[in-house]
Each structure stands twice: as C-alpha cells, then as structure tokens.
Amino acid sequence: MNPFDYRRAEDAAGAAAMVADNPAAAFLGGGTNLVDHMKLGVAAPEVLVDITHLPMDEVEALPEGGVRIGANVRNSDLAAHPLIRRRYPVLSQALLSGASGQLRNLATTAGNLLQRTRCVYFQDTSTPCNKREPGTGCSALEGYQRYHAILGASPDCVAVHPSDMAVALTALDAQVVVQDAATERRVPIARLHRLPGEAPEHDTVLNHGDLITAVELPDMPMAVHARYRKVRDRASFAFALVSVAAAMSLGADGSVSDVRIALGGVAHKPWRALRAEEALRDGPATEERFAAAARAELAEARPLPGNTFKVALARSAITATLRQVHAEARGGDGHGGPGGHGEEQR
C-alpha cells in the first residue's frame, strides 16, 4: 500500500472541493472496497478525505411521502430501519443478501452504490484489464466468465456491477443526491451507472469530486409488495449470478396496472428490465405472460461461452420473482417479509 495523506472535511461542499482539486484524492467512507483495492494495488490515492463524520447518517420520511437515506447510513442500519422494512422491503432484502454482517456494519449507502466490479482480472494487477488500465485489453474475453455480463457488454469490458442494493434502488426509481464544490443536483439511479462502451474505466456519470450525500426514494405504494431474489453459488457472502428486484400493482380486474423490474449480475450496471415491464403492463397477470416478459427482456442477451447458462437462469429468476410479487399484490402467501424466504437467499 502506498503512503497517503489523510484529511477531514468540514462539510459536504468542502469535501467535494478537496477531492476535485486533486486528481489523486478519494473520499473515505466505510472503506470496505477502497481499502481492499489499496492493498491489492488496484487503487493508489495520494489523499483520503474522510467524510464519515459528516451529518449524512439519517433515514427520514419526506413531506411528499418518500424517504431520504443519508449517504453515511450503514447497510445494517438501513436494512433494519422500520421505514424501510415496512415501505420498501425489497431494499432490506437486497441489503441482507449482500456481503457479511461485519461488512454491512461498516459499509455505507454511497459506498455500496460506488463499489467497483469484483471481476477477478480487475483485481489482479498482473493481468490486462481495460477497466483498471485502459487500452491493455480484457482478460475475461478468453478467461473465466461465469460471473460476467450477458447484457450491455462491449469488446472492451464484460464485467458486472456487484451491488445488490443498487438493483433494489433501481426498481424503486431512486434519485441520487450529488454535491460538488458549488451546487447540489439529483441523478436518477437508472442514469448513475454506465455501460462500458469504449471507456469501461468510468463506472458512473459522476465527475471527480462529486460526492453522493443522500438517496431519495419516491412514494411508491406497490413497493410494499416488492421482493428481491438472488441466485448465487453459495448461501452467503457471494455475489449474484443473477438477481431480480420486482414490484407490481394490480388493477380492479386483476390485470397488471404497473410494474418495476431490475436485474443484477447480468450487466455493467443494474439493469432496468424495460422490455419486460412494457410486455406486462395493462395485461393479465398470468404465468405465461411472466415467462413471455422474461423472454422478451433476454432476447438480446449476448452470453460468453462460459456463462450461457445465465440466460435461462435470468429468465427463470424473473418469472419466479414476478410470480411471488403477484401473489403478494393479490394478498396471497408470497412468503414475504424483509428477510424473504429460502429461494430469495440462494
């Protein structure tokens, strides 16, 4: 690990200015991802700006009915918060399915959103990686591919975004509050993360020095019945092969009046399943239509030789999750609750 300077900011704008003024500076929150990368040699910041003491650690109801989550709220605290468990259980489920209890106790909301890929080649500095070192190539194209993208990838990068929380927030239409040295703005979470294109080194649309200060959730009645399903290689402390966050509301005749679906483990960013949503709206809520919507979403999947199984896995996961949220929306037994049931935690 390289030597670095440590500084503490007085406020969010001051923190943003400190980092913006130095291309080799970085924010320090929970540090669960950054410190790992510093040890591995993936990241070598010259200055760390500590933001953990800034007043961004509250979860509060908004006057218009939504909820504001401070950037420094720890993942464990957010998952356990009564407002989140009651109104947005999909977010609690996603958080509890990620990492370990110790890591969730330290990791922050903003840090979770900004964590970098766990592609083995990105984390191995002895291998070529366009994300870590632009222009060197993508080792995964001819290497280990089980966890890599089947949607939205490019010849320059096939890595996936690792966050469970970000998938749930994408299904919830969250807004990310961003502070730079002078102004505050909001970025829809669906636009926060990028597809790799020819510049996979850029994970998000944020500029250097932009500081996430909060995440805001809209008032969304159907979120009460939203659920998160994660399919992985072992029951805990494993990243998703495929994950699904979904919410559904039904009309008086039982048809799908509205729906939100987001996927994890399949792309460089949390993947909003817009084709599947469009296929379901204003039609009957049947198993056949759930399966057809899943097929429509995966129609343009381009798997690698080592992860072709993920296409069928994603279709099955979407269908099963829609079946569950439909049962919840009808008032049936969807095996709900913030922790979900066994299938959600696979």
Side-chain angles (χ1 to χ4, degrees):
M1 184 184 292
N2 292 338
F4 58 87
D5 290 336
Y6 170 85
R7 299 178 188 172
R8 282 168 64 93
E10 296 299 322
D11 54 36
M18 284 184 190
V19 173
D21 288 344
N22 186 339
F27 299 113
L28 177 63
T32 57
N33 193 212
L34 174 62
V35 174
D36 279 350
H37 285 165
M38 292 171 68
K39 292 177 180 178
L40 292 169
V42 174
E46 296 176 1
V47 178
L48 291 183
V49 178
D50 189 346
I51 58 171
T52 57
H53 59 288
L54 297 182
M56 304 185 297
D57 58 354
E58 298 292 331
V59 178
E60 54 188 337
L62 295 173
E64 61 272 22
V67 171
R68 181 182 174 97
I69 302 164
N72 284 341
V73 175
R74 306 293 173 168
N75 288 181
S76 291
D77 293 335
L78 182 58
H81 197 281
L83 268 178
I84 302 303
R85 287 170 59 89
R86 183 172 67 251
R87 295 176 54 186
Y88 308 96
V90 65
L91 181 52
S92 286
Q93 292 165 14
L95 286 161
L96 292 172
S97 76
S100 65
Q102 295 93 330
L103 288 170
R104 292 193 297 267
N105 287 341
L106 190 59
T108 65
T109 299
N112 190 313
L113 282 178
L114 297 178
Q115 64 182 296
R116 307 208 70 189
T117 183
R118 294 320 196 278
C119 173
V120 294
Y121 302 107
F122 174 72
Q123 298 189 105
D124 181 354
T125 56
S126 70
T127 62
C129 173
N130 286 320
K131 180 177 284 294
R132 188 185 65 251
E133 191 175 353
T136 59
C138 176
S139 296
L141 292 176
E142 301 295 333
Y144 180 70
Q145 300 169 341
R146 181 173 177 81
Y147 279 87
H148 288 85
I150 58 174
L151 292 166
S154 77
D156 290 305
C157 184
V158 293
V160 300
H161 196 271
S163 174
D164 295 290
M165 183 191 77
V167 179
L169 291 176
T170 299
L172 293 172
D173 286 335
Q175 297 271 331
V176 180
V177 185
V178 179
Q179 175 75 52
D180 62 22
T183 60
E184 180 182 271
R185 70 185 189 278
R186 281 163 175 75
V187 179
I189 193 162
R191 299 179 188 170
L192 177 67
H193 300 96
R194 298 178 63 257
L195 291 177
E198 297 180 351
E201 68 273 21
H202 299 300
D203 293 342
T204 73
V205 299
L206 300 181
N207 300 313
H208 182 71
D210 282 351
L211 175 65
I212 294 176
T213 58
V215 173
E216 293 178 347
L217 303 178
D219 184 19
M220 184 183 288
M222 69 176 170
V224 172
H225 303 301
R227 292 293 177 261
Y228 187 72
R229 181 178 298 265
K230 180 176 182 177
V231 185
R232 48 187 166 177
D233 281 330
R234 59 179 184 264
S236 67
F237 203 39
F239 295 100
L241 290 166
V242 172
S243 65
V244 183
M248 184 186 298
S249 62
L250 303 176
D253 60 354
S255 64
V256 178
S257 60
D258 203 0
V259 64
R260 299 286 188 280
I261 307 169
L263 308 179
V266 298
H268 194 259
K269 59 181 287 184
W271 186 268
R272 180 71 178 269
L274 296 174
R275 290 186 181 89
E277 291 179 8
E278 182 64 25
L280 287 168
R281 284 193 184 95
D282 301 320
T286 64
E287 182 83 9
E288 292 74 19
R289 295 191 75 246
F290 298 161
R295 289 193 299 271
E297 191 61 46
L298 275 298
E300 295 188 10
R302 298 294 181 267
L304 300 161
N307 67 5
T308 55
F309 71 95
K310 289 180 74 168
V311 178
L313 186 63
R315 287 197 298 256
S316 295
I318 293 169
T319 304
T321 308
L322 290 171
R323 183 191 311 124
Q324 183 189 5
V325 297
H326 175 242
E328 290 279 350
R330 279 192 318 177
D333 181 10
H335 304 282
H341 59 65
E343 279 191 310
E344 289 173 3
Q345 299 301 314
R346 285 185 297 184

Short mmCIF file of all heavy atoms in Angstrom, two decimals, residues 73-103:
data_model
loop_
_atom_site.label_atom_id
_atom_site.label_comp_id
_atom_site.label_asym_id
_atom_site.label_seq_id
_atom_site.Cartn_x
_atom_site.Cartn_y
_atom_site.Cartn_z
N VAL A 73 -25.37 6.33 6.00
CA VAL A 73 -26.14 5.29 6.71
C VAL A 73 -25.51 3.93 6.42
O VAL A 73 -25.29 3.56 5.27
CB VAL A 73 -27.62 5.31 6.27
CG1 VAL A 73 -28.37 4.15 6.91
CG2 VAL A 73 -28.26 6.62 6.65
N ARG A 74 -25.21 3.19 7.47
CA ARG A 74 -24.59 1.88 7.31
C ARG A 74 -25.60 0.89 6.76
O ARG A 74 -26.80 0.96 7.03
CB ARG A 74 -24.05 1.38 8.65
CG ARG A 74 -23.11 2.36 9.34
CD ARG A 74 -21.80 2.54 8.59
NE ARG A 74 -20.98 3.60 9.18
CZ ARG A 74 -19.71 3.82 8.88
NH1 ARG A 74 -19.11 3.06 7.97
NH2 ARG A 74 -19.03 4.80 9.45
N ASN A 75 -25.13 -0.05 5.98
CA ASN A 75 -26.02 -1.02 5.35
C ASN A 75 -26.85 -1.79 6.36
O ASN A 75 -28.04 -2.05 6.13
CB ASN A 75 -25.20 -1.99 4.49
CG ASN A 75 -24.65 -1.39 3.22
OD1 ASN A 75 -23.99 -2.07 2.44
ND2 ASN A 75 -24.88 -0.09 3.00
N SER A 76 -26.28 -2.18 7.48
CA SER A 76 -27.03 -2.91 8.51
C SER A 76 -28.15 -2.05 9.08
O SER A 76 -29.27 -2.53 9.29
CB SER A 76 -26.10 -3.37 9.63
OG SER A 76 -25.23 -4.37 9.19
N ASP A 77 -27.83 -0.78 9.34
CA ASP A 77 -28.84 0.12 9.90
C ASP A 77 -29.97 0.37 8.91
O ASP A 77 -31.14 0.45 9.29
CB ASP A 77 -28.19 1.45 10.31
CG ASP A 77 -27.22 1.31 11.46
OD1 ASP A 77 -27.37 0.35 12.24
OD2 ASP A 77 -26.30 2.14 11.56
N LEU A 78 -29.62 0.51 7.65
CA LEU A 78 -30.64 0.75 6.63
C LEU A 78 -31.55 -0.47 6.48
O LEU A 78 -32.78 -0.34 6.41
CB LEU A 78 -29.97 1.08 5.29
CG LEU A 78 -30.90 1.40 4.13
CD1 LEU A 78 -31.81 2.59 4.46
CD2 LEU A 78 -30.09 1.70 2.86
N ALA A 79 -30.97 -1.65 6.45
CA ALA A 79 -31.78 -2.87 6.31
C ALA A 79 -32.74 -3.06 7.47
O ALA A 79 -33.83 -3.61 7.29
CB ALA A 79 -30.86 -4.09 6.19
N ALA A 80 -32.36 -2.60 8.66
CA ALA A 80 -33.17 -2.80 9.86
C ALA A 80 -34.12 -1.65 10.15
O ALA A 80 -34.96 -1.77 11.05
CB ALA A 80 -32.26 -3.02 11.06
N HIS A 81 -34.04 -0.57 9.39
CA HIS A 81 -34.83 0.61 9.73
C HIS A 81 -36.33 0.35 9.51
O HIS A 81 -36.73 -0.19 8.47
CB HIS A 81 -34.40 1.80 8.87
CG HIS A 81 -34.86 3.11 9.40
ND1 HIS A 81 -36.15 3.57 9.24
CD2 HIS A 81 -34.22 4.06 10.14
CE1 HIS A 81 -36.28 4.74 9.82
NE2 HIS A 81 -35.12 5.07 10.38
N PRO A 82 -37.17 0.71 10.48
CA PRO A 82 -38.61 0.41 10.36
C PRO A 82 -39.26 0.98 9.10
O PRO A 82 -40.11 0.32 8.50
CB PRO A 82 -39.20 1.04 11.63
CG PRO A 82 -38.07 1.06 12.60
CD PRO A 82 -36.83 1.29 11.80
N LEU A 83 -38.88 2.20 8.70
CA LEU A 83 -39.47 2.78 7.49
C LEU A 83 -39.15 1.93 6.27
O LEU A 83 -40.00 1.73 5.39
CB LEU A 83 -38.92 4.20 7.28
CG LEU A 83 -39.69 5.37 7.85
CD1 LEU A 83 -38.94 6.66 7.57
CD2 LEU A 83 -41.10 5.44 7.28
N ILE A 84 -37.92 1.46 6.19
CA ILE A 84 -37.50 0.67 5.03
C ILE A 84 -38.16 -0.70 5.06
O ILE A 84 -38.68 -1.19 4.05
CB ILE A 84 -35.97 0.55 4.99
CG1 ILE A 84 -35.32 1.95 4.94
CG2 ILE A 84 -35.53 -0.29 3.81
CD1 ILE A 84 -35.77 2.80 3.78
N ARG A 85 -38.17 -1.35 6.21
CA ARG A 85 -38.76 -2.68 6.32
C ARG A 85 -40.26 -2.66 6.00
O ARG A 85 -40.78 -3.59 5.39
CB ARG A 85 -38.54 -3.23 7.73
CG ARG A 85 -37.12 -3.64 8.01
CD ARG A 85 -36.89 -3.96 9.49
NE ARG A 85 -37.77 -5.04 9.93
CZ ARG A 85 -37.46 -6.33 9.87
NH1 ARG A 85 -36.30 -6.71 9.37
NH2 ARG A 85 -38.30 -7.25 10.33
N ARG A 86 -40.91 -1.58 6.40
CA ARG A 86 -42.36 -1.52 6.21
C ARG A 86 -42.74 -1.08 4.79
O ARG A 86 -43.65 -1.65 4.18
CB ARG A 86 -42.96 -0.55 7.23
CG ARG A 86 -44.49 -0.46 7.18
CD ARG A 86 -45.03 0.37 8.34
NE ARG A 86 -44.66 1.77 8.24
CZ ARG A 86 -43.78 2.38 9.03
NH1 ARG A 86 -43.15 1.68 9.97
NH2 ARG A 86 -43.51 3.66 8.89
N ARG A 87 -42.05 -0.08 4.26
CA ARG A 87 -42.48 0.51 2.99
C ARG A 87 -41.68 0.05 1.78
O ARG A 87 -42.18 0.10 0.65
CB ARG A 87 -42.42 2.04 3.11
CG ARG A 87 -43.40 2.59 4.13
CD ARG A 87 -43.24 4.09 4.31
NE ARG A 87 -43.35 4.81 3.05
CZ ARG A 87 -43.13 6.11 2.92
NH1 ARG A 87 -42.79 6.83 3.99
NH2 ARG A 87 -43.24 6.69 1.74
N TYR A 88 -40.43 -0.38 2.00
CA TYR A 88 -39.56 -0.79 0.90
C TYR A 88 -38.83 -2.09 1.27
O TYR A 88 -37.59 -2.13 1.31
CB TYR A 88 -38.55 0.31 0.58
CG TYR A 88 -39.15 1.68 0.36
CD1 TYR A 88 -39.23 2.62 1.39
CD2 TYR A 88 -39.66 2.05 -0.89
CE1 TYR A 88 -39.79 3.88 1.19
CE2 TYR A 88 -40.21 3.30 -1.11
CZ TYR A 88 -40.28 4.22 -0.05
OH TYR A 88 -40.82 5.45 -0.26
N PRO A 89 -39.57 -3.16 1.53
CA PRO A 89 -38.92 -4.39 2.00
C PRO A 89 -37.91 -4.97 1.00
O PRO A 89 -36.97 -5.65 1.40
CB PRO A 89 -40.08 -5.35 2.23
CG PRO A 89 -41.22 -4.81 1.41
CD PRO A 89 -41.05 -3.32 1.44
N VAL A 90 -38.10 -4.66 -0.28
CA VAL A 90 -37.15 -5.16 -1.28
C VAL A 90 -35.75 -4.63 -1.01
O VAL A 90 -34.75 -5.32 -1.25
CB VAL A 90 -37.61 -4.76 -2.71
CG1 VAL A 90 -37.59 -3.26 -2.92
CG2 VAL A 90 -36.75 -5.45 -3.76
N LEU A 91 -35.64 -3.43 -0.46
CA LEU A 91 -34.34 -2.85 -0.16
C LEU A 91 -33.69 -3.57 1.03
O LEU A 91 -32.50 -3.88 1.01
CB LEU A 91 -34.48 -1.35 0.12
CG LEU A 91 -33.21 -0.57 0.42
CD1 LEU A 91 -32.15 -0.80 -0.64
CD2 LEU A 91 -33.52 0.92 0.57
N SER A 92 -34.49 -3.87 2.05
CA SER A 92 -33.96 -4.64 3.18
C SER A 92 -33.48 -6.01 2.72
O SER A 92 -32.40 -6.48 3.11
CB SER A 92 -35.04 -4.81 4.26
OG SER A 92 -35.25 -3.62 4.97
N GLN A 93 -34.28 -6.66 1.89
CA GLN A 93 -33.91 -7.99 1.41
C GLN A 93 -32.60 -7.95 0.62
O GLN A 93 -31.73 -8.82 0.79
CB GLN A 93 -35.04 -8.55 0.54
CG GLN A 93 -36.30 -8.86 1.30
CD GLN A 93 -37.48 -9.07 0.37
OE1 GLN A 93 -37.31 -9.24 -0.84
NE2 GLN A 93 -38.68 -9.05 0.92
N ALA A 94 -32.47 -6.96 -0.25
CA ALA A 94 -31.26 -6.85 -1.06
C ALA A 94 -30.04 -6.62 -0.18
O ALA A 94 -28.98 -7.25 -0.38
CB ALA A 94 -31.41 -5.73 -2.08
N LEU A 95 -30.16 -5.73 0.78
CA LEU A 95 -29.03 -5.44 1.66
C LEU A 95 -28.62 -6.67 2.47
O LEU A 95 -27.44 -6.98 2.62
CB LEU A 95 -29.39 -4.29 2.60
CG LEU A 95 -29.41 -2.91 1.97
CD1 LEU A 95 -30.20 -1.94 2.83
CD2 LEU A 95 -27.98 -2.40 1.75
N LEU A 96 -29.60 -7.37 3.00
CA LEU A 96 -29.30 -8.53 3.84
C LEU A 96 -28.74 -9.70 3.03
O LEU A 96 -28.15 -10.62 3.60
CB LEU A 96 -30.55 -8.96 4.60
CG LEU A 96 -31.02 -7.97 5.67
CD1 LEU A 96 -32.36 -8.39 6.23
CD2 LEU A 96 -29.98 -7.83 6.77
N SER A 97 -28.92 -9.69 1.73
CA SER A 97 -28.39 -10.77 0.90
C SER A 97 -26.94 -10.52 0.50
O SER A 97 -26.30 -11.39 -0.09
CB SER A 97 -29.23 -10.93 -0.38
OG SER A 97 -28.95 -9.89 -1.30
N GLY A 98 -26.42 -9.34 0.80
CA GLY A 98 -25.08 -8.98 0.37
C GLY A 98 -24.05 -9.06 1.47
O GLY A 98 -24.34 -8.87 2.65
N ALA A 99 -22.82 -9.36 1.08
CA ALA A 99 -21.66 -9.32 1.95
C ALA A 99 -21.83 -10.19 3.19
O ALA A 99 -22.42 -11.27 3.14
CB ALA A 99 -21.34 -7.87 2.33
N SER A 100 -21.34 -9.70 4.33
CA SER A 100 -21.47 -10.40 5.61
C SER A 100 -21.93 -9.38 6.65
O SER A 100 -21.91 -8.17 6.40
CB SER A 100 -20.12 -10.99 6.04
OG SER A 100 -19.18 -9.94 6.30
N GLY A 101 -22.34 -9.86 7.82
CA GLY A 101 -22.78 -8.95 8.87
C GLY A 101 -21.73 -7.92 9.23
O GLY A 101 -22.02 -6.74 9.42
N GLN A 102 -20.47 -8.36 9.31
CA GLN A 102 -19.40 -7.43 9.67
C GLN A 102 -19.24 -6.33 8.63
O GLN A 102 -19.07 -5.15 8.96
CB GLN A 102 -18.08 -8.19 9.85
CG GLN A 102 -18.08 -9.17 11.01
CD GLN A 102 -18.48 -10.57 10.58
OE1 GLN A 102 -19.27 -10.74 9.64
NE2 GLN A 102 -17.95 -11.57 11.27
N LEU A 103 -19.27 -6.73 7.35
CA LEU A 103 -19.12 -5.74 6.29
C LEU A 103 -20.32 -4.80 6.23
O LEU A 103 -20.18 -3.59 6.02
CB LEU A 103 -18.93 -6.42 4.94
CG LEU A 103 -17.56 -7.08 4.74
CD1 LEU A 103 -17.56 -7.93 3.48
CD2 LEU A 103 -16.45 -6.05 4.69
#
